Coordinates of all heavy atoms in Angstrom, one line a residue:
P1 N -3.6 10.1 -0.5 CA -2.7 11.0 0.1 C -1.9 11.8 -0.8 O -1.1 12.7 -0.4 CB -1.9 10.2 1.0 CG -1.8 8.9 0.3 CD -3.1 8.7 -0.2
S2 N -2.0 11.6 -2.1 CA -1.3 12.3 -3.0 C -1.7 13.7 -3.2 O -2.9 14.0 -3.0 CB -1.2 11.5 -4.3 OG -2.5 11.7 -5.1
Q3 N -0.8 14.6 -3.6 CA -1.1 16.0 -3.8 C -2.1 16.3 -5.1 O -2.9 17.2 -4.9 CB 0.1 16.8 -4.0 CG 1.1 16.9 -2.8 CD 2.3 17.4 -3.0 OE1 2.7 17.6 -4.1 NE2 2.9 17.8 -1.8
K4 N -2.1 15.4 -6.0 CA -2.9 15.6 -7.1 C -3.9 14.5 -7.3 O -4.6 14.6 -8.3 CB -2.0 15.8 -8.4 CG -1.0 16.9 -8.4 CD -0.2 17.0 -9.6 CE 0.7 18.2 -9.5 NZ 1.7 18.1 -10.6
G5 N -4.1 13.6 -6.5 CA -5.0 12.5 -6.5 C -4.7 11.4 -7.4 O -5.6 10.5 -7.6
R6 N -3.5 11.4 -8.0 CA -3.2 10.3 -9.0 C -3.2 8.9 -8.4 O -3.5 7.9 -8.9 CB -1.9 10.5 -9.7 CG -2.0 11.7 -10.5 CD -0.8 12.0 -11.5 NE -0.9 13.1 -12.3 CZ -0.1 14.1 -12.3 NH1 0.9 14.1 -11.7 NH2 -0.4 15.0 -13.2
S7 N -2.6 8.8 -7.1 CA -2.7 7.5 -6.5 C -4.2 6.9 -6.3 O -4.4 5.8 -6.5 CB -1.9 7.5 -5.1 OG -0.7 7.8 -5.3
K8 N -5.0 7.8 -5.9 CA -6.3 7.4 -5.6 C -7.1 7.0 -7.0 O -7.7 6.1 -7.0 CB -7.1 8.5 -4.9 CG -8.6 8.1 -4.7 CD -9.3 9.1 -3.8 CE -10.7 8.7 -3.5 NZ -11.4 9.7 -2.6
K9 N -6.8 7.8 -8.0 CA -7.3 7.5 -9.4 C -6.9 6.1 -9.9 O -7.5 5.3 -10.3 CB -7.0 8.5 -10.4 CG -7.7 9.8 -10.2 CD -7.2 10.8 -11.2 CE -7.8 12.2 -10.9 NZ -7.3 13.3 -11.7
L10 N -5.5 5.8 -9.6 CA -4.9 4.5 -10.1 C -5.5 3.4 -9.2 O -5.9 2.4 -9.8 CB -3.4 4.5 -9.8 CG -2.6 3.3 -10.2 CD1 -2.9 3.0 -11.6 CD2 -1.2 3.4 -10.0
A11 N -5.8 3.7 -7.9 CA -6.4 2.6 -7.1 C -7.8 2.4 -7.5 O -8.3 1.2 -7.7 CB -6.4 3.1 -5.6
S12 N -8.6 3.3 -7.9 CA -9.9 3.2 -8.5 C -9.9 2.4 -9.8 O -10.8 1.5 -10.0 CB -10.6 4.5 -8.8 OG -10.7 5.2 -7.4
V13 N -9.0 2.6 -10.7 CA -8.9 1.9 -12.0 C -8.6 0.4 -11.6 O -9.3 -0.5 -12.2 CB -7.9 2.5 -12.9 CG1 -7.6 1.7 -14.0 CG2 -8.3 3.8 -13.4
L14 N -7.6 0.2 -10.8 CA -7.3 -1.2 -10.4 C -8.5 -1.9 -9.7 O -8.8 -3.0 -10.1 CB -6.1 -1.2 -9.5 CG -5.7 -2.7 -8.9 CD1 -5.2 -3.5 -10.2 CD2 -4.6 -2.4 -7.9
C15 N -9.3 -1.2 -8.9 CA -10.4 -1.7 -8.3 C -11.5 -2.1 -9.2 O -12.0 -3.3 -9.2 CB -11.0 -0.7 -7.3 SG -12.4 -1.2 -6.3
K16 N -11.8 -1.3 -10.3 CA -12.7 -1.6 -11.3 C -12.3 -2.7 -12.0 O -13.1 -3.6 -12.5 CB -12.9 -0.3 -12.2 CG -13.7 0.7 -11.5 CD -13.8 1.9 -12.4 CE -14.5 3.1 -11.7 NZ -14.5 4.3 -12.4
R17 N -11.1 -2.9 -12.5 CA -10.5 -4.0 -13.2 C -10.6 -5.3 -12.6 O -11.0 -6.3 -13.0 CB -9.2 -3.7 -13.7 CG -9.2 -2.6 -14.9 CD -7.8 -2.4 -15.4 NE -7.9 -1.3 -16.4 CZ -6.8 -1.0 -17.2 NH1 -5.7 -1.7 -17.0 NH2 -7.1 -0.1 -18.0
A18 N -10.2 -5.2 -11.2 CA -10.3 -6.5 -10.4 C -11.8 -6.9 -10.2 O -12.1 -8.1 -10.3 CB -9.6 -6.1 -9.0
T19 N -12.7 -6.0 -10.0 CA -14.1 -6.2 -9.9 C -14.6 -6.9 -11.1 O -15.4 -8.0 -11.1 CB -14.9 -5.0 -9.5 OG1 -14.4 -4.5 -8.2 CG2 -16.3 -5.4 -9.4
A20 N -14.2 -6.4 -12.3 CA -14.5 -7.1 -13.5 C -14.1 -8.4 -13.7 O -14.7 -9.2 -14.4 CB -14.2 -6.1 -14.7
A21 N -12.9 -8.7 -13.1 CA -12.4 -10.0 -13.2 C -13.0 -11.0 -12.1 O -12.5 -12.2 -12.0 CB -10.7 -10.0 -13.0
G22 N -13.9 -10.6 -11.3 CA -14.5 -11.3 -10.3 C -13.9 -11.3 -9.0 O -14.2 -12.1 -8.1
I23 N -13.0 -10.3 -8.6 CA -12.4 -10.3 -7.4 C -13.0 -9.2 -6.7 O -13.3 -8.0 -7.1 CB -10.9 -9.8 -7.5 CG1 -10.1 -10.9 -8.3 CG2 -10.2 -9.6 -6.2 CD1 -8.8 -10.6 -8.7
S24 N -13.5 -9.5 -5.5 CA -14.2 -8.5 -4.5 C -13.3 -7.5 -4.1 O -12.1 -7.8 -3.7 CB -14.8 -9.1 -3.3 OG -15.3 -8.2 -2.5
T25 N -13.4 -6.2 -4.4 CA -12.6 -5.0 -4.0 C -13.2 -3.8 -3.4 O -14.4 -3.7 -3.5 CB -11.8 -4.6 -5.4 OG1 -13.0 -4.0 -6.3 CG2 -11.2 -5.6 -6.1
Q26 N -12.3 -3.1 -2.9 CA -12.7 -1.8 -2.4 C -11.5 -0.9 -2.2 O -10.3 -1.5 -2.1 CB -13.3 -1.9 -1.0 CG -12.6 -2.4 0.0 CD -13.4 -2.5 1.3 OE1 -14.2 -1.7 1.7 NE2 -13.0 -3.5 2.1
V27 N -11.6 0.4 -2.3 CA -10.5 1.3 -2.2 C -10.7 1.8 -0.8 O -11.6 2.4 -0.5 CB -10.5 2.5 -3.3 CG1 -9.5 3.5 -2.9 CG2 -10.4 2.0 -4.6
V28 N -9.5 1.7 0.0 CA -9.5 2.1 1.3 C -8.3 3.0 1.5 O -7.2 2.6 1.2 CB -9.6 1.1 2.3 CG1 -9.6 1.4 3.8 CG2 -10.7 0.1 2.0
D29 N -8.3 4.1 2.2 CA -7.3 4.9 2.6 C -6.5 4.1 3.6 O -7.1 3.6 4.7 CB -7.7 6.2 3.2 CG -6.6 7.2 3.5 OD1 -5.6 6.8 4.1 OD2 -6.7 8.4 3.1
L30 N -5.3 4.0 3.5 CA -4.5 3.2 4.4 C -4.5 3.6 5.9 O -4.5 2.8 6.8 CB -2.9 3.3 4.1 CG -2.0 2.5 4.8 CD1 -2.3 1.0 4.8 CD2 -0.5 2.7 4.3
L31 N -4.8 4.9 6.1 CA -4.9 5.4 7.4 C -6.3 5.0 8.0 O -6.4 4.9 9.2 CB -4.8 6.9 7.5 CG -3.5 7.5 7.2 CD1 -3.4 9.1 7.2 CD2 -2.3 6.8 8.0
G32 N -7.3 4.6 7.2 CA -8.5 4.2 7.8 C -8.6 2.7 7.8 O -9.7 2.0 8.1
Y33 N -7.5 1.9 7.4 CA -7.6 0.6 7.3 C -7.2 -0.2 8.6 O -6.1 0.3 9.2 CB -6.8 0.0 6.2 CG -6.7 -1.4 5.9 CD1 -7.7 -2.2 5.5 CD2 -5.6 -2.3 6.3 CE1 -7.7 -3.5 5.3 CE2 -5.6 -3.6 6.2 CZ -6.6 -4.2 5.7 OH -6.6 -5.5 5.5
E34 N -7.8 -1.1 9.0 CA -7.5 -1.8 10.4 C -6.4 -2.9 10.0 O -6.7 -3.9 9.3 CB -8.7 -2.4 10.9 CG -8.6 -3.0 12.4 CD -8.2 -1.8 13.3 OE1 -8.9 -0.8 13.3 OE2 -7.3 -2.0 14.1
L35 N -5.2 -2.6 10.3 CA -4.0 -3.5 9.9 C -4.1 -4.8 10.5 O -3.6 -5.8 9.8 CB -2.7 -2.8 10.2 CG -2.4 -1.5 9.4 CD1 -1.0 -0.9 10.0 CD2 -2.3 -1.8 8.0
D36 N -4.9 -5.0 11.5 CA -4.9 -6.4 12.0 C -5.7 -7.3 11.1 O -5.7 -8.5 11.2 CB -5.8 -6.3 13.4 CG -4.9 -5.7 14.5 OD1 -3.7 -5.6 14.3 OD2 -5.5 -5.2 15.5
Q37 N -6.5 -6.8 10.2 CA -7.3 -7.5 9.1 C -6.3 -7.9 8.0 O -6.9 -8.8 7.2 CB -8.4 -6.7 8.6 CG -9.4 -6.3 9.7 CD -10.6 -5.4 9.1 OE1 -10.6 -5.0 8.0 NE2 -11.5 -5.1 10.0
L38 N -5.2 -7.5 7.9 CA -4.2 -7.7 6.7 C -4.2 -9.3 6.5 O -4.3 -9.7 5.3 CB -3.0 -7.1 6.9 CG -1.9 -7.3 5.7 CD1 -2.7 -6.6 4.5 CD2 -0.7 -6.6 5.9
G39 N -4.0 -10.1 7.5 CA -3.9 -11.5 7.3 C -5.1 -12.2 6.8 O -5.2 -13.4 6.3
E40 N -6.4 -11.5 6.8 CA -7.7 -12.0 6.3 C -7.8 -11.7 4.9 O -8.8 -12.2 4.3 CB -8.7 -11.6 7.2 CG -8.6 -11.8 8.7 CD -9.6 -11.2 9.5 OE1 -10.6 -10.5 9.1 OE2 -9.4 -11.0 10.7
E41 N -7.1 -10.8 4.3 CA -7.2 -10.4 2.9 C -6.7 -11.4 1.9 O -5.7 -12.2 2.3 CB -6.6 -9.1 2.7 CG -6.9 -8.0 3.5 CD -8.3 -7.5 3.3 OE1 -8.9 -8.0 2.3 OE2 -8.9 -6.6 4.0
R42 N -7.2 -11.7 0.8 CA -6.9 -12.5 -0.2 C -6.0 -11.9 -1.2 O -4.9 -12.4 -1.7 CB -8.0 -13.2 -0.9 CG -8.8 -14.2 0.0 CD -8.2 -15.5 0.2 NE -8.4 -16.2 -1.1 CZ -7.3 -17.0 -1.6 NH1 -6.2 -17.1 -0.7 NH2 -7.3 -17.6 -2.7
H43 N -6.3 -10.6 -1.6 CA -5.7 -9.8 -2.7 C -5.5 -8.3 -2.1 O -6.5 -8.0 -1.5 CB -6.3 -9.8 -3.9 CG -6.6 -11.0 -4.5 ND1 -7.6 -11.9 -4.3 CD2 -5.7 -11.8 -5.4 CE1 -7.5 -13.0 -5.1 NE2 -6.4 -12.9 -5.7
T44 N -4.3 -7.8 -2.0 CA -4.1 -6.5 -1.4 C -3.1 -5.8 -2.3 O -2.1 -6.3 -2.7 CB -3.7 -6.6 0.0 OG1 -4.5 -7.3 0.8 CG2 -3.5 -5.2 0.6
A45 N -3.5 -4.6 -2.6 CA -2.5 -3.7 -3.4 C -2.4 -2.3 -2.7 O -3.4 -1.8 -2.2 CB -3.2 -3.3 -4.8
F46 N -1.1 -2.2 -2.4 CA -0.9 -0.8 -1.7 C -0.3 0.1 -2.8 O 0.6 -0.2 -3.4 CB 0.2 -0.9 -0.7 CG -0.1 -1.9 0.4 CD1 0.2 -3.2 0.6 CD2 -0.9 -1.4 1.6 CE1 -0.2 -4.0 1.5 CE2 -1.3 -2.2 2.6 CZ -1.1 -3.6 2.5
I47 N -1.2 1.3 -3.1 CA -0.7 2.2 -4.0 C -0.6 3.6 -3.2 O -1.6 4.1 -2.8 CB -1.8 2.3 -5.1 CG1 -2.1 0.9 -5.8 CG2 -1.4 3.4 -6.1 CD1 -3.1 0.9 -6.8
L48 N 0.6 4.0 -3.3 CA 1.0 5.2 -2.4 C 1.8 6.2 -3.3 O 2.7 5.7 -4.0 CB 1.7 4.9 -1.2 CG 0.8 4.2 -0.1 CD1 1.7 3.7 1.1 CD2 -0.2 5.1 0.6
P49 N 1.6 7.5 -3.1 CA 2.7 8.4 -3.7 C 4.0 8.3 -2.8 O 3.9 7.9 -1.6 CB 2.1 9.8 -3.5 CG 1.2 9.6 -2.2 CD 0.6 8.2 -2.3
T50 N 5.0 8.6 -3.5 CA 6.4 8.5 -2.7 C 6.9 10.0 -2.8 O 6.6 10.7 -3.7 CB 7.3 7.6 -3.4 OG1 7.5 7.8 -4.7 CG2 6.8 6.2 -3.1
Y51 N 7.7 10.3 -1.8 CA 8.3 11.5 -1.8 C 9.8 11.4 -1.4 O 10.2 10.2 -0.9 CB 7.6 12.4 -0.6 CG 6.3 12.7 -0.8 CD1 5.2 12.0 -0.2 CD2 5.9 13.6 -1.8 CE1 4.0 12.2 -0.4 CE2 4.6 13.9 -2.0 CZ 3.6 13.2 -1.3 OH 2.3 13.4 -1.6
A52 N 10.6 12.4 -1.7 CA 12.0 12.3 -1.4 C 12.7 11.0 -1.5 O 13.1 10.4 -0.6 CB 12.2 12.9 0.1
G53 N 12.8 10.5 -2.6 CA 13.6 9.3 -3.0 C 12.9 8.1 -2.4 O 13.5 7.0 -2.1
G54 N 11.6 8.1 -2.4 CA 10.7 6.9 -2.1 C 10.3 6.8 -0.8 O 9.7 5.7 -0.4
S55 N 10.3 7.8 0.0 CA 9.8 7.8 1.4 C 8.3 7.9 1.4 O 7.6 8.3 0.4 CB 10.4 8.9 2.3 OG 10.1 10.2 1.8
A56 N 7.7 7.5 2.5 CA 6.2 7.5 2.6 C 5.7 8.9 2.6 O 6.4 9.8 3.1 CB 5.9 6.8 3.8
P57 N 4.4 9.1 2.3 CA 3.9 10.6 2.2 C 3.8 10.9 3.7 O 3.6 10.1 4.6 CB 2.5 10.3 1.6 CG 2.4 8.9 1.1 CD 3.7 8.1 1.6
E58 N 3.8 12.2 3.8 CA 3.6 12.9 5.2 C 2.3 12.3 5.8 O 1.3 12.3 5.2 CB 3.5 14.3 5.0 CG 3.6 15.0 6.4 CD 3.7 16.5 6.2 OE1 4.6 17.0 5.4 OE2 2.9 17.2 6.9
G59 N 2.5 11.9 7.1 CA 1.3 11.3 7.8 C 1.1 9.8 7.6 O 0.3 9.2 8.3
Y60 N 1.8 9.2 6.6 CA 1.6 7.8 6.3 C 2.9 6.9 6.9 O 2.9 5.9 6.8 CB 1.4 7.5 4.9 CG 0.0 7.9 4.5 CD1 -0.4 9.2 4.4 CD2 -1.0 6.9 4.3 CE1 -1.5 9.6 4.0 CE2 -2.2 7.3 4.0 CZ -2.5 8.6 3.8 OH -3.9 8.9 3.5
E61 N 3.9 7.7 7.5 CA 5.1 7.0 7.8 C 4.8 5.9 8.9 O 5.3 4.8 8.9 CB 6.1 7.9 8.4 CG 6.5 9.1 7.5 CD 5.7 10.4 7.6 OE1 4.6 10.2 8.2 OE2 6.1 11.3 7.1
N62 N 3.9 6.3 9.8 CA 3.5 5.3 10.9 C 2.9 4.0 10.3 O 3.1 3.0 10.8 CB 2.8 5.9 12.0 CG 3.6 6.8 12.9 OD1 4.8 6.7 12.9 ND2 3.0 7.8 13.5
A63 N 2.0 4.4 9.5 CA 1.1 3.2 8.9 C 2.1 2.3 8.1 O 2.1 1.0 8.2 CB 0.1 3.6 7.9
V64 N 3.0 2.8 7.3 CA 4.1 1.9 6.6 C 4.9 1.2 7.7 O 5.1 0.0 7.5 CB 4.9 2.8 5.6 CG1 6.0 2.0 5.0 CG2 4.0 3.3 4.5
R65 N 5.3 1.9 8.7 CA 6.2 1.2 9.7 C 5.4 0.1 10.4 O 5.9 -0.9 10.6 CB 6.6 2.3 10.7 CG 7.7 1.8 11.7 CD 8.2 2.8 12.7 NE 7.5 4.1 12.9 CZ 7.8 5.2 12.1 NH1 8.7 5.3 11.3 NH2 7.1 6.3 12.4
E66 N 4.2 0.3 10.7 CA 3.3 -0.7 11.3 C 3.2 -1.9 10.6 O 3.1 -3.1 11.1 CB 1.9 -0.2 11.6 CG 1.9 0.8 12.8 CD 0.5 1.4 13.1 OE1 -0.5 0.7 13.0 OE2 0.5 2.6 13.5
I67 N 3.0 -1.8 9.2 CA 2.9 -2.9 8.3 C 4.1 -3.7 8.3 O 4.2 -5.0 8.6 CB 2.6 -2.6 6.9 CG1 1.2 -1.9 6.7 CG2 3.0 -3.7 5.9 CD1 0.9 -1.3 5.5
L68 N 5.3 -3.0 8.3 CA 6.6 -3.8 8.4 C 6.7 -4.4 9.7 O 7.3 -5.6 9.7 CB 7.7 -2.8 8.1 CG 7.8 -2.2 6.7 CD1 8.9 -1.2 6.6 CD2 8.1 -3.3 5.7
E69 N 6.4 -3.8 10.8 CA 6.5 -4.5 12.1 C 5.5 -5.6 12.2 O 5.9 -6.5 12.8 CB 6.2 -3.4 13.3 CG 7.3 -2.4 13.3 CD 6.9 -1.3 14.3 OE1 5.8 -1.3 14.9 OE2 7.7 -0.4 14.5
L70 N 4.4 -5.5 11.7 CA 3.4 -6.6 11.7 C 3.9 -7.9 11.0 O 3.8 -9.0 11.7 CB 2.1 -6.2 11.1 CG 1.0 -7.2 11.1 CD1 0.4 -7.3 12.5 CD2 -0.2 -6.6 10.3
V71 N 4.6 -7.7 9.9 CA 5.0 -9.1 9.1 C 6.3 -9.4 9.7 O 6.6 -10.6 9.4 CB 5.1 -8.6 7.6 CG1 3.8 -8.3 7.0 CG2 6.1 -7.6 7.3
H72 N 7.0 -8.7 10.6 CA 8.2 -9.2 11.1 C 8.2 -9.5 12.6 O 9.1 -9.9 13.2 CB 9.4 -8.0 10.9 CG 9.7 -7.9 9.4 ND1 10.3 -8.9 8.7 CD2 9.6 -6.9 8.6 CE1 10.5 -8.5 7.4 NE2 10.1 -7.1 7.4
D73 N 6.9 -9.2 13.1 CA 6.7 -9.5 14.5 C 6.8 -10.9 14.9 O 6.0 -11.8 14.2 CB 5.3 -8.9 14.9 CG 5.2 -8.9 16.5 OD1 5.7 -9.8 17.1 OD2 4.4 -8.1 17.0
F74 N 7.6 -11.5 15.8 CA 7.8 -12.8 16.1 C 6.6 -13.5 16.8 O 6.3 -14.6 16.8 CB 9.0 -13.1 16.9 CG 8.9 -12.6 18.4 CD1 8.3 -13.4 19.4 CD2 9.2 -11.3 18.6 CE1 8.2 -12.8 20.7 CE2 9.1 -10.7 19.9 CZ 8.6 -11.5 20.9
R75 N 5.7 -12.4 17.4 CA 4.5 -13.0 17.9 C 3.2 -13.2 17.0 O 2.3 -13.8 17.3 CB 4.0 -11.9 19.0 CG 5.0 -11.8 20.1 CD 4.6 -10.5 20.9 NE 4.9 -9.3 20.0 CZ 4.6 -8.0 20.4 NH1 4.2 -7.8 21.6 NH2 4.8 -7.1 19.6
V76 N 3.4 -12.8 15.7 CA 2.4 -13.1 14.6 C 2.9 -14.2 13.8 O 4.0 -14.2 13.3 CB 2.2 -11.8 13.8 CG1 1.2 -11.9 12.7 CG2 2.0 -10.6 14.7
S77 N 2.1 -15.2 13.8 CA 2.3 -16.3 13.0 C 2.6 -16.0 11.4 O 1.8 -15.2 10.8 CB 1.2 -17.4 13.1 OG 1.4 -18.4 12.1
K78 N 3.6 -16.5 10.8 CA 3.9 -16.3 9.5 C 2.9 -16.9 8.6 O 2.6 -16.4 7.5 CB 5.3 -16.8 9.1 CG 6.5 -16.1 9.8 CD 6.3 -14.6 9.7 CE 7.4 -14.0 10.7 NZ 7.0 -12.7 11.3
A79 N 2.2 -17.8 9.1 CA 1.1 -18.6 8.4 C 0.0 -17.7 8.2 O -0.9 -17.9 7.3 CB 0.6 -19.8 9.1
S80 N -0.1 -16.6 8.9 CA -1.2 -15.6 8.8 C -1.2 -14.9 7.5 O -2.3 -14.3 7.2 CB -1.1 -14.5 10.1 OG -1.2 -15.1 11.3
F81 N -0.1 -14.8 6.9 CA 0.1 -14.1 5.7 C 0.3 -15.0 4.5 O 0.4 -14.5 3.3 CB 1.1 -13.1 5.9 CG 1.0 -12.0 6.9 CD1 1.8 -12.2 8.1 CD2 0.0 -11.1 6.9 CE1 1.4 -11.3 9.2 CE2 -0.3 -10.2 7.9 CZ 0.5 -10.4 9.1
E82 N 0.3 -16.2 4.6 CA 0.6 -17.1 3.5 C -0.4 -17.0 2.3 O 0.1 -17.2 1.2 CB 0.7 -18.5 4.1 CG 2.0 -18.9 4.8 CD 2.1 -20.2 5.3 OE1 1.1 -21.1 5.0 OE2 3.2 -20.7 5.8
A83 N -1.6 -16.8 2.7 CA -2.6 -16.7 1.6 C -2.7 -15.3 1.0 O -3.6 -15.2 0.1 CB -4.0 -17.2 2.2
V84 N -2.0 -14.4 1.5 CA -2.2 -13.0 1.0 C -1.5 -12.7 -0.1 O -0.3 -12.9 -0.2 CB -1.9 -11.9 2.2 CG1 -2.1 -10.6 1.6 CG2 -2.8 -12.2 3.5
R85 N -2.1 -12.4 -1.2 CA -1.5 -12.0 -2.4 C -1.4 -10.5 -2.4 O -2.5 -9.9 -2.3 CB -2.1 -12.6 -3.7 CG -2.0 -14.1 -3.8 CD -2.7 -14.6 -4.9 NE -2.6 -16.0 -4.9 CZ -2.7 -16.7 -6.0 NH1 -2.8 -16.2 -7.2 NH2 -2.7 -18.0 -6.0
Y86 N -0.2 -9.9 -2.6 CA -0.2 -8.4 -2.5 C 0.8 -7.8 -3.5 O 1.6 -8.4 -4.1 CB 0.3 -8.1 -1.2 CG 1.7 -8.4 -0.8 CD1 2.8 -7.5 -1.1 CD2 2.1 -9.6 -0.4 CE1 4.1 -7.9 -0.9 CE2 3.4 -10.1 -0.1 CZ 4.4 -9.2 -0.4 OH 5.7 -9.5 -0.2
S87 N 0.6 -6.6 -3.8 CA 1.5 -5.8 -4.7 C 1.6 -4.4 -4.0 O 0.9 -4.0 -3.2 CB 0.9 -5.6 -6.1 OG -0.4 -4.9 -6.1
I88 N 2.8 -3.9 -4.3 CA 3.0 -2.5 -3.6 C 3.5 -1.6 -4.8 O 4.4 -2.0 -5.6 CB 4.2 -2.5 -2.6 CG1 3.7 -3.4 -1.5 CG2 4.6 -1.1 -2.1 CD1 4.8 -3.8 -0.5
F89 N 2.9 -0.6 -4.9 CA 3.3 0.3 -6.1 C 3.3 1.7 -5.6 O 2.5 2.3 -5.0 CB 2.0 0.4 -7.1 CG 2.5 1.1 -8.4 CD1 3.2 0.6 -9.4 CD2 2.1 2.4 -8.5 CE1 3.6 1.3 -10.5 CE2 2.5 3.3 -9.7 CZ 3.2 2.7 -10.7
G90 N 4.6 2.3 -5.7 CA 4.9 3.7 -5.3 C 4.9 4.5 -6.5 O 5.6 4.4 -7.4
C91 N 4.0 5.5 -6.5 CA 3.8 6.5 -7.5 C 4.9 7.6 -7.3 O 4.9 8.3 -6.4 CB 2.5 7.2 -7.6 SG 1.2 6.0 -7.9
G92 N 5.8 7.6 -8.2 CA 6.8 8.7 -8.1 C 6.2 10.1 -8.6 O 5.1 10.3 -8.8
N93 N 7.3 10.9 -9.0 CA 7.0 12.1 -9.6 C 7.9 12.4 -10.6 O 9.2 12.2 -10.5 CB 7.2 13.2 -8.4 CG 6.8 14.5 -8.8 OD1 7.1 15.0 -9.8 ND2 6.2 15.1 -7.9
S94 N 7.6 13.0 -11.7 CA 8.4 13.3 -12.8 C 9.4 14.3 -12.5 O 10.4 14.5 -13.3 CB 7.6 13.7 -14.2 OG 6.9 14.9 -13.9
E95 N 9.3 15.0 -11.4 CA 10.2 16.0 -11.2 C 11.4 15.4 -10.3 O 12.3 16.1 -10.0 CB 9.5 17.0 -10.3 CG 8.5 17.8 -11.1 CD 7.7 18.9 -10.3 OE1 8.2 19.3 -9.2 OE2 6.8 19.5 -10.9
Y96 N 11.3 14.1 -9.9 CA 12.5 13.5 -9.2 C 13.7 13.6 -10.2 O 13.6 13.6 -11.4 CB 12.1 11.9 -9.0 CG 11.3 11.7 -7.9 CD1 10.9 10.4 -7.7 CD2 10.8 12.6 -7.1 CE1 10.1 9.9 -6.7 CE2 9.9 12.2 -6.1 CZ 9.5 11.0 -5.8 OH 8.7 10.6 -4.9
P97 N 15.0 13.7 -9.5 CA 16.1 13.5 -10.3 C 16.0 12.2 -11.1 O 15.5 11.2 -10.6 CB 17.2 13.5 -9.2 CG 16.6 14.1 -8.0 CD 15.1 13.8 -8.1
V98 N 16.8 12.1 -12.1 CA 16.7 10.9 -13.0 C 17.2 9.8 -12.2 O 16.7 8.7 -12.3 CB 17.7 11.1 -14.2 CG1 18.0 9.9 -15.0 CG2 17.2 12.2 -15.0
K99 N 18.1 10.0 -11.3 CA 18.6 8.6 -10.4 C 17.5 8.1 -9.5 O 17.6 7.0 -9.2 CB 19.9 9.0 -9.6 CG 19.5 10.1 -8.5 CD 20.7 10.3 -7.6 CE 20.4 11.1 -6.5 NZ 19.6 10.5 -5.4
D100 N 16.5 8.8 -9.2 CA 15.4 8.5 -8.4 C 14.2 8.1 -9.1 O 13.3 7.5 -8.5 CB 15.1 9.4 -7.4 CG 16.1 9.7 -6.3 OD1 17.0 8.7 -6.1 OD2 16.3 10.8 -5.8
F101 N 14.0 8.6 -10.3 CA 12.7 8.3 -11.1 C 12.6 6.9 -11.6 O 13.6 6.3 -12.2 CB 12.6 9.3 -12.2 CG 11.3 9.3 -13.0 CD1 10.3 9.8 -12.5 CD2 11.2 8.7 -14.2 CE1 9.0 9.8 -12.9 CE2 10.0 8.7 -14.9 CZ 8.9 9.1 -14.3
N102 N 11.5 6.2 -11.3 CA 11.2 4.8 -11.6 C 12.4 3.9 -11.0 O 12.8 3.0 -11.7 CB 11.2 4.7 -13.2 CG 9.9 5.1 -13.7 OD1 8.9 5.3 -12.9 ND2 9.7 5.4 -14.9
A103 N 12.8 4.2 -9.8 CA 13.9 3.3 -9.2 C 13.4 2.1 -8.8 O 12.3 1.8 -8.6 CB 14.5 4.1 -8.0

């Protein structure tokens, strides 16, 4: 979803390195990912561009909100996510004000 494709490039590099380390990987656009499968993943990395002080990119607000709702939903067992190892990386912009860059 980035304007210049840097998030996708970073995801591809991470995917190649994880594959080289013996981890089964794929790059998937968050909007095309079935969030109900999140609890079945062993390793997950979310790499997204950020806008306006760290907000989700346009069109991705609902997907980010759904993830947060999923992990906080009392109807979903917390044990569903115990085995999931994850990372979240928000790619900023060098044009951000100093107070927001690499926050």
Side-chain angles (χ1 to χ4, degrees):
S2 67
Q3 293 175 339
K4 297 180 181 177
R6 290 190 179 125
S7 297
K8 186 174 182 177
K9 288 177 188 173
L10 181 59
S12 294
V13 168
L14 179 62
C15 183
K16 287 177 186 174
R17 289 184 180 181
T19 299
I23 299 170
S24 175
T25 62
Q26 63 179 331
V27 174
V28 179
D29 187 315
L30 184 59
L31 294 182
Y33 180 73
E34 193 64 44
L35 291 175
D36 292 342
Q37 297 176 359
L38 186 58
E40 299 170 20
E41 304 291 352
R42 296 277 296 135
H43 301 88
T44 303
F46 296 98
I47 302 173
L48 292 169
T50 57
Y51 299 102
S55 63
E58 187 175 315
Y60 285 75
E61 303 91 346
N62 287 338
V64 171
R65 187 174 22 262
E66 285 179 35
I67 291 171
L68 293 173
E69 288 174 1
L70 182 65
V71 297
H72 295 295
D73 190 333
F74 69 91
R75 297 168 293 181
V76 178
S77 170
K78 300 307 174 214
S80 300
F81 303 106
E82 286 179 354
V84 178
R85 294 180 180 207
Y86 67 93
S87 63
I88 301 169
F89 186 83
C91 297
N93 186 317
S94 60
E95 295 177 13
Y96 283 174
V98 174
K99 70 178 186 66
D100 292 329
F101 188 71
N102 287 339

